[in-house]
Amino acid sequence: MAFISEVNMSYSQSHYMDDEYEKLFRRMNPPRVVIDNGASQNATVIRVDSANKQGILLEVVQILTDLNLIITKAYISSDGGWFMDVFNVTDQDGNKVTDEVILDYIRKSLGPESCFATTMRSVGVKQTPDHTAIELMGSDRPGLLSEVSAVLTNLKCNIVNAEVWTHNMRAAAVMHVTDEETGSAITDSQRLSLIKELLCNVLGGGNRKRGAKTVVTDDSTHTDRRLHQMMFDDRDYERVDDDDFDEKQRPNVDVVNWSDKDYSVVTIECRDRPKLVFDTVCTLTDMQYVVFHANIDAEGPQAYQEYYIKHIDGSPVKSDAERQRVIHCLEAAIERRVSEVRDLMLVLSDISIASKFGRIAV
């Protein structure tokens, strides 16, 4: 026990020193954000210069995506100790971003004022003391949401928010629920155990080959990122039926090694849609790849993305098996949100369910 305590103390001290070093480095090299509405005829240009660190690209893209901004072009370079980005963005109507509230939020979130925020180390973590977050993973089938809603209603739970994705015959959901009587998070351990047990029974759906999983948590990662992680952990990128997704809609993803520079080059061509950049950057980050350079062009109906990556250990993609895994995981990340849009009418066809949810996000 004494040895374990010494190890924990050593880890805590190391973590503390890392935090202090990062704060000092960022104090000496504060990030700089420049927003320019005159540099481009059709978009707002956002330039971000900052000290480089693992996950910073996802952090920036997540902030822009959460503001419902559309990234039409981007140039990324982070080869070394400095991170330099240029993003061309518009609002959802294709216009420049002129709302000073949004522009000021971007400056504060990415500029010098963000230097000492404790959340900078972990992308997208939010505390949720006012509700209980329930993560669901199981077999997709018609009527699944209706059954889940009925279980929660019978257990006196209010669904205040729900995000649901389906892909490759699997369904993932993150639901925020409160106690019907108190309107706050559910804390009774026996009640939480019963919720998990009954929801697992519903999610199983008779599929013995691929099980169901229910997790109750009081801490919630950025919802879209968590849904990607859940489906990735469930290996939804392994296709069980190649006819399940229209080949015409399938993205064109390729990975080749650039031996002269020790990079692997990932190229993606597909139909453009909102949050596409977030989905691909999120997937690469959670697969432990670092993006050193990138070029993104989505000014037309088709999107082109090019990423120069290495594994976090500094190596490029090492084998054909790893190459295929990267391709399939990126395809799945793009298709999940397409499936989400495609299946929305099936969800909304049950009006009684839609009325129970505070929000079903697309």
Side-chain angles (χ1 to χ4, degrees):
M1 292 298 292
F3 173 75
I4 294 176
S5 297
E6 290 177 5
V7 171
N8 289 337
M9 183 178 296
S10 176
Y11 173 79
S12 297
Q13 290 174 345
S14 175
H15 187 72
Y16 172 78
M17 292 303 294
D18 288 344
D19 281 341
E20 291 304 306
Y21 177 79
E22 182 175 317
K23 289 177 183 179
L24 175 62
F25 189 81
R26 289 174 66 83
R27 186 185 293 118
M28 296 176 64
N29 303 276
R32 185 169 66 99
V33 178
V34 176
I35 300 176
D36 190 344
N37 264 320
S40 170
Q41 184 176 356
N42 303 316
T44 298
V45 178
I46 301 174
R47 298 182 180 89
V48 182
D49 297 337
S50 173
N52 193 18
K53 64 169 185 171
Q54 170 65 4
I56 190 171
L57 176 59
L58 176 58
E59 185 176 297
V60 174
V61 169
Q62 179 179 297
I63 288 171
L64 298 178
T65 301
D66 284 349
L67 291 169
N68 293 320
L69 301 181
I70 307 299
I71 299 173
T72 59
K73 272 184 176 294
Y75 307 93
I76 290 102
S77 179
S78 61
D79 200 346
W82 203 250
F83 172 81
M84 294 174 285
D85 282 3
V86 180
F87 293 95
N88 287 21
V89 302
T90 69
D91 62 20
Q92 290 189 311
D93 295 323
N95 301 317
K96 293 183 179 182
V97 183
T98 56
D99 188 327
E100 279 301 324
V101 174
I102 294 178
L103 297 178
D104 188 53
Y105 178 83
I106 294 171
R107 294 186 188 100
K108 289 181 177 179
S109 299
L110 301 177
E113 293 182 39
S114 69
C115 280
F116 309 112
T118 56
T119 55
M120 293 293 283
R121 176 169 289 276
S122 181
V123 178
V125 175
K126 301 179 293 182
Q127 297 298 324
T128 55
D130 56 337
H131 62 255
T132 298
I134 302 178
E135 298 175 355
L136 311 174
M137 191 77 223
S139 300
D140 185 28
R141 67 178 190 279
L144 177 62
L145 285 178
S146 180
E147 295 178 38
V148 169
S149 177
V151 168
L152 292 172
T153 300
N154 289 337
L155 293 172
K156 308 297 183 184
C157 301
N158 285 327
I159 303 174
V160 296
N161 184 39
E163 308 247 359
V164 184
W165 287 6
T166 65
H167 179 246
N168 202 9
M169 304 302 294
R170 300 294 284 173
V174 175
M175 293 184 168
H176 296 164
V177 303
T178 59
D179 181 89
E180 189 177 87
E181 294 183 1
T182 65
S184 58
I186 301 167
T187 57
D188 182 84
S189 59
Q190 291 185 343
R191 187 177 176 193
L192 291 174
S193 295
L194 180 60
I195 291 173
K196 290 169 63 177
E197 179 184 352
L198 294 179
L199 288 177
C200 264
N201 292 338
V202 171
L203 290 165
N207 189 336
R208 297 182 180 180
K209 292 183 179 180
R210 304 185 72 180
K213 185 177 181 181
T214 303
V215 176
V216 177
T217 177
D218 58 359
D219 180 75
S220 178
T221 300
H222 184 274
T223 301
D224 284 7
R225 186 179 187 186
R226 186 67 193 123
L227 286 165
H228 275 303
Q229 292 171 342
M230 290 165 63
M231 302 205 88
F232 174 80
D233 290 342
D234 191 63
R235 305 175 75 90
D236 75 314
Y237 53 86
E238 296 179 345
R239 300 187 182 279
V240 295
D241 185 357
D242 284 339
D243 295 330
D244 183 57
F245 197 86
D246 188 348
E247 281 290 342
K248 293 181 181 179
Q249 298 183 51
R250 183 166 294 172
N252 182 9
V253 182
D254 195 16
V255 180
V256 297
N257 279 355
W258 185 13
S259 56
D260 289 347
K261 297 292 185 179
D262 248 9
Y263 291 124
S264 292
V265 183
V266 177
T267 56
I268 301 170
E269 294 182 74
C270 64
R271 186 170 183 80
D272 189 34
R273 59 163 175 75
K275 301 186 179 182
L276 179 63
V277 177
F278 173 85
D279 293 337
T280 53
V281 171
C282 178
T283 299
L284 290 171
T285 302
D286 284 338
M287 292 182 72
Q288 301 296 298
Y289 291 102
V290 179
V291 176
F292 287 87
H293 303 281
N295 177 33
I296 294 166
D297 187 347
E299 288 190 311
Q302 291 293 115
Y304 177 81
Q305 300 181 7
E306 184 177 67
Y307 298 101
Y308 294 77
I309 67 168
K310 294 181 184 179
H311 193 266
I312 197 170
D313 64 8
S315 65
V317 172
K318 297 177 181 177
S319 66
D320 187 61
E322 182 182 358
R323 174 180 173 273
Q324 290 298 325
R325 185 168 181 264
V326 172
I327 290 173
H328 292 159
C329 288
L330 286 169
E331 287 177 345
I334 296 167
E335 292 169 3
R336 287 170 196 146
R337 210 180 290 272
V338 173
S339 297
E340 179 192 15
V341 174
R342 183 183 59 193
D343 294 342
L344 179 63
M345 294 310 295
L346 296 177
V347 175
L348 295 182
S349 64
D350 191 336
I351 302 300
S352 64
I353 300 175
S355 65
K356 285 179 169 59
F357 291 166
R359 177 166 62 98
I360 300 178
V362 180

